[in-house]
Amino acid sequence: MKITRAAEYAIRCMVYLVRKGKGTLVSRREIAHQAEIPAQFLAKIAQELARAGFIEIRQGAKGGFVLINEPKEMNLLEIVETIIGEISLNESSALLDFCSDPNQCPVHSVWTDATSQLRDTLQGVTFDKISKKGSCISIEKPKSDK
Amino acid sequence: MKITRAAEYAIRCMVYLVRKGKGTLVSRREIAHQAEIPAQFLAKIAQELARAGFIEIRQGAKGGFVLINEPKEMNLLEIVETIIGEISLNESSALLDFCSDPNQCPVHSVWTDATSQLRDTLQGVTFDKISKKGSCISIEKPKSDK
DNA sequence: TAAATTTAGGACCTTAAATATCTTGTATGC
DNA sequence: GCATACAAGATATTTAAGGTCCTAAATTTA
């Protein structure tokens, strides 16, 4: 019943890139260090974000990640679901078999409705909103860049 | 990001008891069979429901479970949280350390808000509402009671 | 073009939690 | 007292999360 660490890391990574600015190349090392994400684990997460089209990964020396989209065009739901798959509060498919019609059944339609509500809420949260001042994710000063 | 099986089983058990009627003794065997819950696992779940004051467990021959409260006085949230603990979408406590103030931070306050919304929704769903006709959980006919 | 840097991607490992099951003990009814 | 039915702790089994490791590949730079 929790957002996973991987999803939390993905969000931190995206917020970091947003704060650095769309199109700005940022090394994995810097993000991992500043956002406190295990570097190798971040690599895995970034690959999924890249496959989903949110960032571009540049290999080689001076490589790193680049934000592709406008912050206001990205929302929490799509980032989270890129990492953990479609959010669903419903019981597993094995349990759905028990219920002949989860959409009609008053017991099980609750989860369908609550899931929709949650997904709508997260969809409404765009990255321009959560990346402004006050965020716990602060960027490394460009000058002190190693 | 799912309700656990244990929680789903607890809900089925309560719905079954509600449909049988407050104060009606129902054997664990019957509930386990009709609601498709592993009997021993149901025992564990029932113990927690009993400790929380929702049902009474009668030991010995002709033992079983009895619903204590009025269906309209019980809601999904309290049953679910009895089994899986307080619902929270927030990241683990280890991750909260990263954020100095999850209530102020725009990144992390999202989870707090979404969690409140979800809990409110579940709190509004009382057992009299979900136990009416149309539910996938049907009770054994009293006459054919073995 | 060789070396250094940096990410890619698959294999593997560790831990924790969920999901039970087993066994022995205890309470109740007949 | 014996059968029945739940209690409760110990013990698997399975699954997923959360990482780590290692070799390869891409890119920059000397």
Side-chain angles (χ1 to χ4, degrees):
Chain A
M1 203 56 192
K2 303 246 189 263
I3 294 298
T4 64
R5 282 190 179 216
E8 158 80 9
Y9 290 156
I11 293 164
R12 282 194 211 168
C13 174
M14 294 305 290
V15 169
Y16 195 87
L17 289 172
V18 166
R19 289 179 70 93
K20 276 284 183 167
K22 172 184 169 185
T24 303
L25 179 88
V26 188
S27 74
R28 187 179 72 184
R29 167 192 293 270
E30 178 182 332
I31 300 172
H33 180 251
Q34 292 292 116
E36 292 182 24
I37 306 171
Q40 300 260 45
F41 198 19
L42 175 56
K44 301 291 180 201
I45 293 163
Q47 282 162 33
E48 294 186 77
L49 293 174
R51 251 179 260 126
F54 297 113
I55 64 174
E56 179 198 331
I57 299 178
R58 297 214 187 120
Q59 284 199 53
K62 300 278 181 183
F65 309 149
V66 180
L67 181 64
I68 290 178
N69 302 309
E70 290 292 342
K72 67 178 180 213
E73 288 164 1
M74 301 182 301
N75 63 65
L76 265 189
L77 182 68
E78 55 190 7
I79 297 301
V80 169
E81 294 199 334
T82 293
I83 305 301
I84 66 178
E86 183 168 324
I87 287 177
S88 171
L89 300 171
N90 299 310
E91 61 280 8
S92 68
S93 57
L95 292 181
L96 279 179
D97 292 344
F98 176 79
C99 187
S100 53
D101 190 352
N103 288 319
Q104 292 298 319
C105 168
V107 175
H108 291 95
S109 64
V110 170
W111 304 119
T112 308
D113 295 347
T115 297
S116 295
Q117 186 186 42
L118 174 58
R119 295 184 76 242
D120 287 349
T121 296
L122 296 182
Q123 194 157 36
V125 181
T126 54
F127 274 81
D128 60 322
K129 290 182 190 166
I130 60 174
S131 302
K132 311 222 162 172
K133 66 169 191 269
S135 161
C136 64
I137 296 161
S138 48
I139 62 173
E140 192 173 90
K141 286 189 295 262
K143 279 294 184 182
S144 71
D145 221 352
K146 146 191 55 328
Chain B
M1 203 59 193
K2 303 245 189 260
I3 295 298
T4 64
R5 280 188 181 218
E8 158 80 8
Y9 289 157
I11 294 164
R12 281 193 212 169
C13 174
M14 294 304 290
V15 169
Y16 196 88
L17 289 172
V18 166
R19 288 180 70 92
K20 275 285 184 166
K22 173 184 169 184
T24 304
L25 179 88
V26 187
S27 74
R28 187 179 72 184
R29 167 192 292 269
E30 178 182 332
I31 299 172
H33 180 251
Q34 293 292 116
E36 291 182 25
I37 306 170
Q40 300 262 41
F41 198 20
L42 175 56
K44 299 293 179 200
I45 292 163
Q47 282 160 34
E48 296 187 76
L49 292 174
R51 250 179 261 126
F54 297 113
I55 64 173
E56 179 198 331
I57 298 179
R58 298 215 187 121
Q59 284 199 53
K62 300 279 179 181
F65 309 150
V66 179
L67 182 65
I68 291 178
N69 303 309
E70 289 292 343
K72 68 179 181 214
E73 288 164 2
M74 300 183 301
N75 62 65
L76 265 189
L77 182 68
E78 55 190 8
I79 298 300
V80 169
E81 294 198 335
T82 293
I83 304 301
I84 66 177
E86 184 169 322
I87 288 177
S88 171
L89 298 171
N90 299 310
E91 61 281 8
S92 69
S93 58
L95 292 181
L96 278 179
D97 291 344
F98 176 79
C99 187
S100 53
D101 189 352
N103 289 319
Q104 292 297 319
C105 168
V107 176
H108 292 93
S109 63
V110 170
W111 305 120
T112 308
D113 295 347
T115 297
S116 295
Q117 186 186 43
L118 174 59
R119 295 184 76 245
D120 286 348
T121 296
L122 296 182
Q123 194 157 37
V125 181
T126 54
F127 273 81
D128 60 322
K129 290 181 190 167
I130 60 174
S131 303
K132 311 222 165 174
K133 66 172 192 271
S135 162
C136 65
I137 297 161
S138 49
I139 62 173
E140 192 173 272
K141 287 187 296 259
K143 278 296 184 183
S144 71
D145 221 353
K146 150 188 46 320

